[in-house]
Each structure stands twice: as C-alpha cells, then as structure tokens.
Amino acid sequence: MTAIASSAPLSAELEAPLLAVEATLNQLGDALTRRDAAAIEQFSSELHQHLARAVQSFGEAARTGGVPAALRNRLVRAGGLLAAQRESLARGNASLDRALDVLIPSEPTGLYGAAGKAERRSIGGGSFTA
C-alpha cells in the first residue's frame, strides 16, 4: 500500500510539467503550420522553459524512486514530436537556403563564366586570340 500511495504524489508532480511540455509542443506545431513567426518564437521559448522543468522533475524522480511507465512513455512521445518538429524546421531552413542561393547567387569565384568558359582577368582588359 505504501508504494501505491507514494507513487500517486510522484505522478502528480511529474504530470504538471509533462502536460505543459505537451501543450506547448502542440501550440508550437500549430504555429509552425500557420508559419506564424512571432508565435513560433514565443512557443519555442516557452517550450525551452517547460522542458528544463520537466527534465529536472523527471531526473529527480528517477533518482528517488523511478518514473511511472505511463509518464515515461508520454515523455518519450513528446521527445519524438519534438524531434519531428526540429526535422521539419531543418528541412524548411534548407529549402529556404536553396531558394536564396538561386535568387541571390554568391560572389563569382573567377573560375568559370556563365557560359561555362574560364574567366581570366587580364591586366590590359583585353583578350588574346591565337
């Protein structure tokens, strides 16, 4: 009976930070879908704070007696959702970088011109033909 009674307060202590992480992950996902930069910034910051609190709470619980399996599974699912959102952002950033490279080409290297011919600088500004 004592183990059951002591695990109930532990579950309640872990439930609050986990609920905050899950709710913020959902809000961040909605903001990402809407492409709302201000909301993404806000929820990212909140998520960082909630994750820090959850990690601290779960770490303390693991040291003092263990984490209930149901809460551990929910934390793992939240971690998976976070990884998926991070991957989505990375792909979006890569697409944006490629689009910017097309729209704003980098400085020419001086090796090849637009027609595929080697570009050479001459001191007099002219070219020689043989």
Side-chain angles (χ1 to χ4, degrees):
M1 278 286 192
T2 307
I4 293 172
S6 66
S7 70
L10 175 65
S11 294
E13 288 176 19
L14 297 177
E15 183 78 21
L18 183 56
L19 280 173
V21 167
E22 291 170 335
T24 307
L25 275 170
N26 289 331
Q27 292 170 325
L28 179 58
D30 292 342
L32 287 168
T33 301
R34 292 189 320 267
R35 297 181 181 181
D36 182 348
I40 291 169
E41 184 69 29
Q42 174 191 346
F43 294 128
S44 295
S45 178
E46 288 178 18
L47 181 60
H48 187 321
Q49 294 169 359
H50 293 311
L51 279 171
R53 198 171 103 216
V55 166
Q56 181 182 5
S57 297
F58 275 78
E60 289 173 8
R63 286 189 297 276
T64 60
V67 177
L71 291 177
R72 189 177 324 115
N73 290 338
R74 284 176 52 200
L75 185 62
V76 168
R77 279 195 303 273
L81 181 56
L82 179 61
Q85 288 179 354
R86 189 178 321 142
E87 178 67 23
S88 174
L89 280 173
R91 288 179 186 209
N93 283 340
S95 294
L96 180 61
D97 287 344
R98 286 191 301 273
L100 286 174
D101 285 343
V102 169
L103 294 173
I104 307 169
S106 60
E107 292 292 319
T109 62
L111 298 176
Y112 295 99
K117 297 180 181 177
E119 290 182 350
R120 296 189 182 153
R121 295 183 185 185
S122 61
I123 296 172
S127 63
F128 296 103
T129 53

